[in-house]
Amino acid sequence: MKELIAHNLEDVPFVAKVLLEQLDNRKIVAFYAEMGSGKTTLITAVLRAMGIENPEGSPTYSLVNSYDSPYFGEVLHFDVYRLNSIEEALDAGIEELLYSGAYCLVEWAEIIESLLPDELVTVRMRVNENGERLIQII
């Protein structure tokens, strides 16, 4: 487990690099954090570190954005916040995408936790009283 502190936005690219170093052979990254804690900002930095020049931000309404990384191949960014059930996730094809072999970055992973594989990287984020982001990579 790695524990990092992002004191400000300038620290986020470093956190993204450390996160990528922790992947090993795992392709699913599950992000757990409250609204406004910086999940999308961190994921955007991860996408840039993967060589994706113009990440589109959070796919809140489309559920998933697909990217082609010159270093990692297909990368999917999920934002499942608007899903109300596992059934909705299954109907949307989320499970097939998670097991497609692509790298998957999942915001609000707790909503689809039962669909996630055992072999994944977990990122837990929270904001402390100083406004810093405390990040655990497990």
Side-chain angles (χ1 to χ4, degrees):
M1 177 172 67
K2 289 268 188 193
E3 293 188 3
L4 304 165
I5 298 175
H7 300 283
N8 52 48
L9 284 174
E10 287 76 32
D11 292 341
V12 175
F14 172 77
V15 173
K17 182 175 181 261
V18 171
L19 172 55
L20 287 177
E21 291 169 354
Q22 302 303 305
L23 290 180
D24 297 321
N25 292 322
R26 299 170 292 183
K27 290 191 167 188
I28 310 293
V29 183
F31 291 82
Y32 296 85
E34 293 181 14
M35 183 80 72
S37 59
K39 290 182 299 298
T40 302
T41 300
L42 177 55
I43 290 172
T44 299
V46 170
L47 292 169
R48 285 195 176 108
M50 293 174 114
I52 297 161
E53 293 182 19
N54 296 307
E56 298 175 25
S58 184
T60 303
Y61 296 100
S62 62
L63 294 180
V64 63
N65 287 338
S66 178
Y67 300 98
D68 185 27
S69 163
Y71 313 115
F72 293 84
E74 186 177 16
V75 182
L76 303 174
H77 174 193
F78 295 84
D79 182 339
V80 296
Y81 179 74
R82 298 206 178 280
L83 292 179
N84 295 310
S85 68
I86 291 297
E87 290 74 25
E88 282 186 18
L90 292 170
D91 289 345
I94 299 289
E95 186 174 36
E96 290 83 8
L97 293 172
L98 288 170
Y99 292 90
S100 67
Y103 283 87
C104 298
L105 310 174
V106 184
E107 288 189 64
W108 300 102
E110 58 272 24
I111 294 171
I112 60 165
E113 204 162 51
S114 65
L115 299 179
L116 298 174
D118 293 334
E119 290 296 313
L120 56 76
V121 175
T122 299
V123 176
R124 297 194 182 279
M125 301 174 63
R126 69 181 183 83
V127 181
N128 71 11
E129 61 279 354
N130 298 325
E132 299 165 321
R133 276 35 181 195
L134 308 176
I135 300 128
Q136 288 183 327
I137 303 171
I138 306 163

